[in-house]
Amino acid sequence: MSQNPDKLNSSEEKLSALEDDEEESLDNSDRSVRKRIRQSAPGSHRDDTPKSSPSRPVSIEELMETAKGVTNMALAHEIVVNGDFQIKPAELPEHSLEKKVRDIVHKAFWDCLEAQLKEDPPTYDHAIKLLGEIKESLLSFLLPGHTRLRSQITEVLDLDLIKQEAENGALDISKLVKFVIGMMGTLCAPARDEDIKKLKDINEIVPLFRAIFSVLDLMKMDMANFAVSSIRPKLMQQSAEYERKKFQEFLEKQPNSLDLVTKWLQEAADDLAKLGHEVLPPHCNDGATGGASALCFTAVQNQAYLKLLKWDHVNRPFPETLLMDQTRFLEMQLELEQLLVVGTVLLVTFSAAGPALIDVPGFADRIKTIVKVLLTGMHLPSFNLKESLATVGEKVCAEVNSCLSQHGFTPFSAEREAVLKGQIQAVASPDNSISKLIDSRIQKFLENYLASSHQKSLPAIPGGLGPIQRELEEIAAKYIRLVNYNRMVFSPYYDAVLGKILTKEESQIVGKSEES
């Protein structure tokens, strides 16, 4: 099992620069994981990394410019990679000083407006300014072809005419507000229909103004998110080149920014070399070039990407080219670890129950639900896996006996129950043979998925993983999407690093053969 992300230690500057401006647009759960990630990879770990050109001194202006470029790159990356990305309104903490100051200022403004409207005769200075802001907001929602709506808004919300009516005591502000609400209903997304309906039920002018501005803010958010979803396909085409350019600018200012990537790829190449001809393509060791060389590079890269799902996020800094996706890789790693336990429990259960329950509709899903619920929070420091698996054993045995009885089979004896509970509790051991088997098959499936990522047909699910096939394929799809995009952006850098690594290894092999 990987270390608990809650224990991660100190922030690495590169990741902090990427994410600080981004957190406000992310939901709370994602934000918490990002905070954990930012605590990983202390600078002291760099002592073990390969050395390259020393970084030159840079000015504050250069650092600020670089940070801005990295922030923009992170935002573009988030929009492309995260299909659920949405801009959300910033919410100040409930008891924060900023929220208190904002609430006081807003209350003073609306109190002033109410006081002006209660004067005899009423003063409409503030109200006219608000109508001007509303007019600008409504016009901002229009597309170039909305000429008729533009004319209506400009004509009805003519501020010069409104000022004249106010001076002559002929201003009907309720009529103007009614027009505004009607126009908002025309321009808003269907999701805001209920909010528009509520506006019509407000009778007092000041609360109505406040509510109108709240709904306008939501409409602006809707418009921004619509724009994001509209540009995503075009951004996908250009973002790889954009990210590569920004990273190159960063690399020029910090020449040692590929140290961790070099170490990561070197370890992957070493792993393949240890496995020998079982995994490494035969052309990788014979000095071939061209297509064979590309195949070799791909094999090493695939091995390197697989290593990210077994990463020690507590003690090891993440490769520089993957920092923006470290959160996602950690989340997938935790999901796979939970899925490993679920898959192992299911395999043990079906083995104990025999063929009687394999084809019973819904049985596997009920067991999965039980296990997932009881494993909630399994990566928290307070979580006791052994105790939770003991509870899982009790619940699973009860479900198995119930299902056996319902379908006319003999329920488990006390002895068989004890054996099944013991097998389930044994899953907590890192040396559990069944758990190791399931883990190796999951890794093999992901490896095959990587190799066939550009093919239409997906790899077959290895034996024993059928009950968790849907969950595994969902994780694999997210994983491949991240890998393919990262490869598309940074493959020139990876190829350059791997060229040096494999040339060095080839020369060492040639040297040894000459000596012998």
Side-chain angles (χ1 to χ4, degrees), residues 420-494:
L420 177 56
K421 290 176 184 177
Q423 290 177 326
I424 291 175
Q425 279 190 273
V427 174
S429 170
D431 299 321
N432 183 266
S433 58
I434 301 176
S435 182
K436 283 185 174 180
L437 175 65
I438 294 295
D439 187 36
S440 66
R441 290 182 178 178
I442 288 175
Q443 293 300 311
K444 188 64 179 176
F445 173 75
L446 292 173
E447 179 184 338
N448 293 339
Y449 214 106
L450 269 177
S452 62
S453 60
H454 296 292
Q455 300 175 10
K456 292 183 178 179
S457 58
L458 298 178
I461 288 285
L465 302 186
I468 58 172
Q469 176 176 350
R470 177 173 55 83
E471 293 85 354
L472 186 56
E473 287 181 345
E474 287 176 358
I475 295 173
K478 292 189 295 184
Y479 173 63
I480 294 302
R481 188 162 57 245
L482 280 182
V483 167
N484 286 342
Y485 184 76
N486 181 266
R487 204 196 302 264
M488 181 169 61
V489 176
F490 295 107
S491 58
Y493 299 101
Y494 298 156

Side-chain angles (χ1 to χ4, degrees), residues 135-314:
K135 176 183 178 181
E136 293 303 318
S137 296
L138 292 176
L139 291 174
S140 70
F141 297 139
L142 300 181
L143 297 176
H146 290 160
T147 53
R148 184 177 60 84
L149 294 177
R150 189 180 305 276
S151 298
Q152 286 183 0
I153 295 171
T154 305
E155 181 180 342
V156 176
L157 297 180
D158 183 338
L159 297 186
D160 292 334
L161 180 60
I162 291 173
K163 288 177 182 177
Q164 292 179 13
E165 291 177 344
E167 291 171 359
N168 296 321
L171 179 60
D172 186 352
I173 199 149
S174 298
K175 181 180 178 182
L176 295 176
V177 169
K178 185 177 180 181
F179 167 80
V180 166
I181 295 173
M183 188 59 66
M184 290 171 65
T186 301
L187 298 174
C188 73
R192 302 299 168 204
D193 288 345
E194 190 62 31
D195 295 313
I196 300 297
K197 184 178 178 182
K198 291 178 181 178
L199 291 179
K200 298 177 181 178
D201 297 331
I202 302 175
N203 297 317
E204 296 183 18
I205 193 66
V206 173
L208 182 55
F209 263 120
R210 296 190 68 165
I212 285 173
F213 275 95
S214 295
V215 176
L216 283 174
D217 287 340
L218 294 175
M219 291 174 62
K220 290 175 183 177
M221 205 67 62
D222 294 338
M223 180 64 74
N225 286 319
F226 173 75
V228 166
S229 63
S230 299
I231 67 171
R232 182 176 284 118
K234 295 181 180 179
L235 189 60
M236 175 71 80
Q237 299 170 7
Q238 302 175 16
S239 60
E241 182 179 343
Y242 176 74
E243 288 189 38
R244 195 181 306 118
K245 176 185 174 183
K246 288 298 179 182
F247 185 80
Q248 180 62 36
E249 293 174 0
F250 182 72
L251 188 62
E252 290 170 0
K253 292 180 172 61
Q254 299 291 330
N256 63 338
S257 295
L258 284 174
D259 286 358
L260 300 176
V261 167
T262 302
K263 184 177 181 181
W264 168 56
L265 293 175
Q266 179 69 64
E267 290 177 358
D270 292 343
D271 290 346
L272 289 182
K274 290 176 185 176
L275 293 172
H277 295 286
E278 294 180 11
V279 176
L280 199 64
H283 302 293
C284 281
N285 290 326
D286 63 8
T289 58
S293 177
L295 179 63
C296 182
F297 282 18
T298 301
V300 177
Q301 285 184 35
N302 286 353
Q303 176 64 20
Y305 283 121
L306 285 172
K307 290 175 70 69
L308 299 176
L309 297 176
K310 295 284 187 180
W311 201 263
D312 181 358
H313 290 271
V314 175

Side-chain angles (χ1 to χ4, degrees), residues 66-115:
T66 302
K68 182 179 179 181
V70 172
T71 300
N72 291 338
M73 180 174 67
L75 180 58
H77 181 87
E78 184 71 23
I79 292 173
V80 169
V81 175
N82 183 4
D84 297 324
F85 176 85
Q86 282 194 329
I87 300 171
K88 297 180 180 179
E91 295 183 3
L92 298 176
E94 185 61 33
H95 301 292
S96 65
L97 177 61
E98 292 90 342
K99 187 175 186 303
K100 291 179 181 178
V101 171
R102 185 194 67 181
D103 291 346
I104 290 172
V105 171
H106 284 193
K107 185 177 184 303
F109 176 83
W110 294 114
D111 287 348
C112 179
L113 174 63
E114 188 171 13

